[in-house]
Amino acid sequence: MGRIQLLGNGISRKTGTSRRCARMGKLVGSAVVVLLGLGLLQRLLMPKYASDVVEGALIAEYYSEEKDHDVIFIGDCEVYENFSPAVLWQDYGINSYIRGSAQQLIWQSYYLLEDTLRYEKPDTVIFNVLSMQYNEPQREAYNRMTLEGMRWSSSKAASIAVSMTEEEHFLEYVFPLLRYHSRWSELGAEDVRYMFRTPKVSHNGYYMRVDVKPAENVPEGRILADYSFGDNAWEYLEKMAALCRENDIRLILVKAPSLYPHWYDQWEEQIEDYAARNDLLYINYLELVEETGLDFSTDTYDGGLHLNLSGAEKITKHLGGVLRQEAGLADRRDEEHLALVWEEKLAAYEQEKERQYEEQGN
């Protein structure tokens, strides 16, 4: 009888354990279903940047590229709308990529460079200096177009922390659903179509526009109370220069030939002085309009703020010559694999060019 009771107790214990395991399994399964559902919901509600405000897609596109670039551009719209990596390859055999985004602040540029060095070490980094005018966080919308496209790393976390405005919350970058839960009324067909994969909107980071709007009646710059760049901006330029030195990368500073926002003489003097003191090459394309052949009646699509395709190709041809002469970058067009990669890229570049010209009736 005692033996039967012992066996019964054993069966009872096994049954209890089995039930607990079953309950635990159901809980885990339910949690997985909830998490998957929230993940799908987040993908649905996040902006896709496919046909509207496409600049928001630029940062993420880098990660699908082969990481063997000679040159990496970092900066705001003055890099991704004014320089064409396709021209650098076609004319000079230089493999380049633009890690640009709308109103990219200098600390964001620094952390994007840090992020890039996790994947590759380019020979040259080109930084556009317009963002030196900003010393503090600006706008959430622009922050998100830069930060959300970055893959998670200590660089992304640090960039979020220093970029947030007072109204922003770090947790909303970790779980974007918390920020975009109210987008239900804005959802469209593209939000469903591009939940898992969005179409490419750039050509190695270059955003192409072929339309023309001449620069007319460009406003003068307003008088500023103080023309000095802020301590925060200088700190991150120093950090950028130090990071390049530590990795044996040549840092080149550029100012794109945008007529607006105004580039003050006082700002120019500060950058020239910094470049001279740190033995950096600095190119101001506002001073090379004649040499590059720029014509602001035909080479801009928005009245002088940004260059169109013809303008971007002109100054990129000039930059390629500088990179060959000053940075000693080799012509890599005889590298079979890279040549095949660029054959496909150039075909897409030409197709996009033709499509846009057809839309313009040209």
Side-chain angles (χ1 to χ4, degrees), residues 326-343:
E326 299 291 336
L329 296 182
D331 186 340
R332 301 178 64 189
R333 284 173 289 188
D334 61 350
E335 295 183 23
E336 184 177 356
H337 175 70
L338 196 54
L340 288 172
V341 169
W342 269 104
E343 183 179 344

Side-chain angles (χ1 to χ4, degrees), residues 86 193 223 248 362:
R193 187 182 310 138
I223 297 174
D248 196 27
N362 296 334

